[in-house]
Amino acid sequence: MPTPFDGLRVLDLSTEIAGPFATRLLADMGALIIKVEPPEGDPLRRMKTSAALGRSAPLAEGEDGALFQWLNATKKSLVLDLAESEVDRATFLRLVGDVDVVLESFAPGWLDARGIGFEAIRGANPAASLVSITPFGQDGPWANHVATDFTLQAETGSFSGRGYEDLGPVVAGGRLGEYCAGNFASVAAAIAWRSARQTGRGLHADVSMLETMILCFQPYQFIQGQMRPGEQFPVMVEVPSIEPASDGMIGFSTQTSQQWHDLCVMVEQPEWVTDDSLCLGQVRYQRREELLEKIQEWTRAHTIDEIVDLCIQLRIPVAPIGNGETVLETDHMIARGFFRDHPEGFRAPGVPFRFEDGDLAPLSRAPKLGEHGDEIRAGLRDRAAAPLPAPAGDGPLAGLKVVDFTAFWAGPFAATTLAELGAEVIKVESIQRPDGMRFASGFIPEDGIVWEWAPVFHGANSGKKAVTLNLDDEEGLALARELVRQADVVIENFSPRVMERFGFDGPGVKALNPDAILIRMPAFGLDGPWRDRVGFAMTIEQASGLAWVTGFPDREPTVPRGICDPVGGMTAVLALLGALERKAQGAGGQMIEVSLLEVGLLLAGEQVVEKTAYGVLLERAGNRGPVASPQGVYVCRDERNPDDAGWVAIACASEEQWAALVRVLGEPEWAKAPRYATEAGRREDAAEIDRELAAWCRGRHAHEIRDTLAAAGVPVGWLLNQRENVPGHEHLDARGFLEFLEHPLAGRIGYPRSSIRFDGEPAKRTLPPLLGEHNEEILRERLGQSEEQLRALEEKKVIGTRPSFL
């Protein structure tokens, strides 16, 4: 079969992780990727994380690191000196005439200053698009500030709420923000390509890493902060989370009250069930010593297998703790065959989605520097894809009808992204079982309508119309079937047995509507030993290795807290775009499977690469990291909360940044030590440098530190509380990241726009729907129900606007 992105041609000018990860995803789907490198090559060629951390020998001269080889497999390499050579810049613009997308990660204005920016690209090829990945976006007051994944995580507010009172906050390990940005950029590239074939005009896609990471790293706590002004999100970890078993570690994820109550019974503490306050994670953390003493007494008396078996019976999300070694030995991962053997001799994750109709590209080794220069300069083979009909409205997906059966975060995020791109999305719930995320507010609003106040529901359900249909009732199920018959796309993210019970699995949807594309997003996939287990994002983080590299070395691993949900959602969008391309190639409807666990394993993939290439198991290292030294969080004064200490994150990822930091410090004698002239020397003495930076920060205000260091060219971030860091943020406000809308119950709320902007225009937001808000509109206008029929459905509780159990 043809590959979904057969005909997509990309010039990849990016370096490091985000851009190469984006084009890696496109290459797996059949795109031709030409990696354009400077004469010295992508710096990632020299990266070996275990060596940077002092745990293995450095790479030999001329040797490419396994991380580079993994992210750049199946690509071609061309050397062009775009910084200095007019001839090479002319060659680049000539090549632009033969490609569809240029992807880059330079500072804003870098390409323009050399005469090869978007206007020059458009001049060479009006249908070519440009995807730009930068820390802060193409405009705004911080556009040219430098940053690292570490300091960007600080600005998101995410790790201000992850950690312990005695040790402080801790970053999510593994450079996750860069992978998130790459994931979003792959969708931006695919959308720009689609739009250009609809209109004949390329787009400039601006992917802001900070805005992407805000959407991925914190569960819309800034929305709750607007609903409940003054409330702070504490520094905490989940209780329970990763706990000791008799033969290892086991991970729990009790996201609902029912799951917490069932766990109480399982660990033989039924009296906790009657204490309603313990349904709140913050209260459990405050009482963690009391609770964990009993929980761990029970877990230590049982094996991992025994605990897993009990949790499966009780439908409690659970997983053994994975890392770069154990995920290769786990029965489910083996059965799924997710990991692939690379030609260079190591193993790495495969593709986290499966098409029923459409092949993925075969894997080939990463290119040597400049390996394909002669071939590429001779001209690209004509493999352009065919034009597409103009969209039926605003947005490249206008006219697409989507029936959304999803709940919680990953699936709703995918569906709301489709709505942002122009699709009509109908969200289907029931008053018997509304989307469970509606009840995840963590507070009881004054009006008592708790199901309309949850911040994640507000954030991940914009742009949709909502109906309620009781699928356990034959009339409700018949109406849902009719919606499916009229749909172009059906999406769901329950464990496999749920939708299969209603006949909405692959064969069932195909029988109703052979042209529909069905997206299924079960936590663990549609086959394998874990198929029918329930799982949330934190379960995935525990099983995949994401938690393994997050936390302090002398404490248990810590969950990053939900990152793979929005990334899983965007992965589903990318897969859907592939299925739409297959339809344009002549295929019909089909089923796509997106396993959230395999999304997590992909994000944690470097652990497997390092282990199988170099024999080193990467571990959690607190706030240390492989790309910067010093790198840490430091106590300072916080003018927003004068009674509390604040925190700032500082990182130096180059000698230039270290020199700039030393100048800001006033060039103290201690910083002039010769050994500090190199990153390796600073890493050896990291504890001493931390003490000096801590002393310098302690008496200064966070705002002063951030402004001074940013102006000097030093990566820095202010760990504002995640409930108050987005509204009022200087840079985000200037870019209009929030769109303020009047919610009928919650009042004026700033909702986040997409972190991808096309031609400088932020995406438009609409309010999240109330439960069953569009029942009459959809059932009357779309399904032909009369007023009398609607009233009868209400009486039978087939439809409604209030949960039936309240």
Side-chain angles (χ1 to χ4, degrees):
M1 298 179 190
T3 57
F5 286 172
D6 186 50
L8 172 58
R9 302 157 300 178
V10 180
L11 286 178
D12 179 6
L13 314 184
S14 68
T15 61
E16 295 293 341
I17 287 177
F21 184 65
T23 52
R24 178 65 220 267
L25 293 170
L26 300 177
D28 281 331
M29 297 177 73
L32 170 66
I33 310 297
I34 300 170
K35 185 172 181 63
V36 179
E37 301 183 71
E40 65 275 16
D42 183 344
L44 196 67
R45 286 184 181 272
R46 304 296 304 152
M47 184 63 189
K48 182 182 179 185
T49 296
S50 55
L53 295 172
R55 299 190 54 208
S56 68
L59 295 169
E61 186 68 30
E63 180 185 1
D64 291 334
L67 177 61
F68 173 88
Q69 292 170 333
W70 169 45
L71 294 179
N72 291 281
T74 321
K75 301 178 185 178
K76 298 178 182 292
S77 174
L78 168 69
V79 171
L80 291 178
D81 189 351
L82 299 179
E84 301 295 337
S85 172
E86 287 285 355
V87 172
D88 283 357
R89 290 194 283 268
T91 299
F92 165 73
L93 290 175
R94 179 174 60 79
L95 289 172
V96 165
D98 292 330
V99 302
D100 305 289
V101 174
V102 177
L103 188 144
E104 57 96 9
S105 58
F106 294 109
W110 194 95
L111 291 177
D112 288 320
R114 288 155 182 82
I116 51 174
F118 185 49
E119 288 308 314
I121 289 170
R122 180 176 282 168
N125 180 354
S129 294
L130 176 65
V131 177
S132 299
I133 308 171
T134 55
F136 299 104
Q138 292 293 299
D139 56 22
W142 293 13
N144 285 292
H145 286 188
V146 294
T148 68
D149 177 85
F150 181 77
T151 60
L152 288 171
Q153 284 196 42
E155 283 295 329
T156 69
S158 67
F159 82 90
S160 66
R162 184 193 308 108
Y164 302 87
E165 292 165 343
D166 58 328
L167 294 176
V170 65
V171 73
R175 301 174 70 176
L176 287 181
E178 297 176 63
Y179 289 99
C180 294
N183 171 264
F184 278 54
S186 69
V187 172
I191 283 293
W193 178 48
R194 180 178 183 83
S195 176
R197 286 154 57 223
Q198 293 170 330
T199 66
R201 179 178 176 275
L203 299 174
H204 186 185
D206 171 10
V207 181
S208 160
M209 290 183 67
L210 175 61
E211 293 167 16
T212 298
M213 291 168 67
I214 288 171
L215 295 175
C216 293
F217 275 74
Q218 63 141 302
Y220 303 99
Q221 286 294 314
F222 59 89
I223 292 181
Q224 181 158 332
Q226 297 173 77
M227 296 173 172
R228 309 272 287 187
E231 279 190 354
Q232 298 279 300
F233 191 93
V235 177
M236 59 176 283
V237 295
E238 283 66 25
V239 175
S241 182
I242 296 173
E243 311 300 342
S246 65
D247 57 347
M249 288 187 288
I250 189 75
F252 301 108
S253 179
T254 51
Q255 297 299 302
T256 68
S257 297
Q258 186 62 56
Q259 289 161 357
W260 164 248
H261 291 160
D262 289 340
L263 183 133
C264 295
V265 173
M266 183 179 74
V267 301
E268 300 170 12
Q269 302 298 321
E271 66 277 9
W272 292 347
V273 174
T274 61
D275 186 342
D276 290 340
S277 70
L278 289 177
C279 291
L280 299 177
Q282 185 173 339
V283 174
R284 295 205 293 267
Y285 178 74
Q286 292 166 349
R287 294 172 57 181
R288 64 190 179 281
E289 291 185 10
E290 164 201 351
L291 299 177
L292 289 179
E293 179 184 3
K294 297 295 187 182
I295 291 171
Q296 292 180 1
E297 179 183 340
W298 185 88
T299 58
R300 285 193 173 100
H302 295 80
T303 66
I304 291 172
D305 287 345
E306 290 170 344
I307 296 170
V308 167
D309 287 345
L310 284 169
C311 285
I312 290 172
Q313 293 175 38
L314 294 170
R315 308 296 287 171
I316 300 170
V318 66
I321 306 307
N323 59 40
E325 181 175 26
T326 60
V327 294
L328 296 170
E329 303 165 349
T330 302
D331 58 352
H332 185 73
M333 285 66 148
I334 292 171
R336 295 274 299 173
F338 179 60
F339 291 100
R340 300 192 291 190
D341 294 318
H342 273 245
E344 293 89 347
F346 58 84
R347 304 199 76 198
V351 182
F353 45 81
R354 298 178 179 181
F355 292 106
E356 183 180 33
D357 181 349
D359 282 343
L360 297 173
L363 181 69
S364 60
R365 65 169 178 81
K368 298 296 183 183
L369 180 62
E371 179 179 350
H372 303 94
D374 292 341
E375 172 191 337
I376 294 164
R377 283 185 169 87
L380 303 180
R381 296 193 313 277
D382 184 15
R383 37 178 276 153
L388 295 172
D394 292 335
L397 296 185
L400 198 72
K401 296 181 176 64
V402 180
V403 175
D404 172 17
F405 288 107
T406 67
F408 289 94
W409 193 0
F413 192 93
T416 208
T417 300
L418 299 179
E420 288 173 344
L421 293 168
E424 179 194 59
V425 179
I426 298 173
K427 183 177 180 70
V428 181
E429 306 171 80
S430 69
I431 60 173
Q432 292 77 16
R433 294 184 185 85
D435 183 341
M437 196 56 90
R438 286 185 177 274
F439 298 90
S441 62
F443 66 93
I444 305 296
E446 291 182 6
D447 62 14
I449 307 176
V450 64
W451 61 94
E452 300 294 2
W453 287 78
V456 175
F457 185 89
H458 274 247
N461 286 280
S462 171
K464 303 177 183 180
K465 296 181 178 181
V467 299
T468 50
L469 292 172
N470 181 6
L471 302 188
D472 288 319
D473 181 278
E474 189 51 47
E475 285 186 89
L477 185 57
L479 291 168
R481 288 181 182 133
E482 187 55 36
L483 284 176
V484 169
R485 288 189 185 97
Q486 298 177 17
D488 301 299
V489 177
V490 179
I491 181 170
E492 64 90 11
N493 67 333
F494 294 95
S495 59
R497 65 187 183 88
V498 174
M499 298 309 284
E500 290 168 3
R501 184 163 66 90
F502 300 116
F504 293 140
D505 55 0
V509 169
K510 191 174 288 291
L512 292 168
N513 184 349
D515 289 327
I517 297 170
L518 170 64
I519 307 171
R520 304 196 67 186
M521 301 175 64
F524 302 108
L526 295 175
D527 56 32
W530 296 9
R531 174 189 189 272
D532 290 315
R533 296 187 190 181
V534 293
F536 290 104
M538 295 177 190
T539 318
I540 303 306
E541 292 165 357
Q542 293 162 348
S544 65
L546 291 172
W548 178 260
V549 293
T550 299
F552 294 103
D554 58 348
R555 301 282 173 93
E556 292 81 8
T558 306
V559 292
R561 205 172 275 155
I563 291 165
C564 53
D565 265 343
V567 174
M570 288 301 270
T571 301
V573 172
L574 181 66
L576 171 61
L577 293 170
L580 291 174
E581 290 299 326
R582 286 290 297 124
K583 289 193 82 169
Q585 294 165 359
Q590 64 169 299
M591 184 182 73
I592 307 167
E593 174 191 350
V594 182
S595 161
L596 199 60
L597 174 61
E598 288 166 5
V599 171
L601 290 166
L602 183 65
L603 294 174
E606 187 186 7
Q607 294 180 52
V608 169
V609 172
E610 280 276 340
K611 179 62 181 175
T612 56
Y614 307 120
V616 177
L617 180 64
L618 298 180
E619 308 267 3
R620 55 198 173 279
N623 289 317
R624 302 267 190 260
V627 299
S629 187
Q631 177 176 290
V633 293
Y634 307 97
V635 174
C636 60
R637 296 171 66 187
D638 186 347
E639 56 266 44
R640 285 197 177 190
N641 301 292
D643 296 332
D644 296 318
W647 297 85
V648 289
I650 299 172
C652 292
S654 70
E655 311 314 329
E656 293 77 15
Q657 292 170 6
W658 168 250
L661 175 61
V662 171
R663 286 194 295 272
V664 171
L665 298 176
E667 302 195 11
E669 286 302 315
W670 66 264
K672 298 178 182 178
R675 63 185 180 279
Y676 294 168
T678 67
E679 195 272 342
R682 296 192 297 276
R683 187 175 296 279
E684 261 185 52
D685 228 0
E688 178 58 31
I689 295 175
D690 277 348
R691 281 191 288 272
E692 296 288 353
L693 289 178
W696 183 81
C697 291
R698 192 168 293 115
R700 290 174 166 79
H701 286 291
H703 197 279
E704 170 198 351
I705 295 170
R706 182 174 68 179
D707 289 354
T708 302
L709 292 183
V714 179
V716 60
W718 183 0
L719 280 74
L720 284 168
N721 193 277
Q722 60 187 285
R723 287 194 179 148
E724 60 185 22
N725 71 314
V726 177
H729 189 287
E730 174 192 24
H731 181 72
L732 297 173
D733 282 355
R735 280 177 55 83
F737 178 58
L738 297 183
E739 182 167 357
F740 286 86
L741 302 171
E742 194 70 28
H743 189 272
L745 299 177
R748 189 171 184 266
I749 298 292
Y751 291 96
R753 304 178 194 260
S754 172
S755 62
I756 304 169
R757 297 189 179 188
F758 294 102
D759 287 352
E761 291 296 322
K764 296 296 183 185
R765 294 282 298 198
T766 61
L767 289 168
L770 303 175
L771 183 65
E773 179 179 353
H774 303 94
N775 281 346
E776 294 211 8
E777 174 187 340
I778 299 299
L779 298 183
R780 188 195 305 275
E781 298 176 9
R782 186 67 58 78
L783 302 184
Q785 297 292 292
S786 67
E787 183 70 25
E788 183 179 336
Q789 288 172 313
L790 290 174
R791 300 291 80 82
L793 291 170
E794 284 179 347
E795 276 190 34
K796 289 183 60 180
K797 298 190 182 300
V798 174
I799 64 173
T801 58
R802 181 184 179 90
S804 62
F805 47 85
L806 294 177

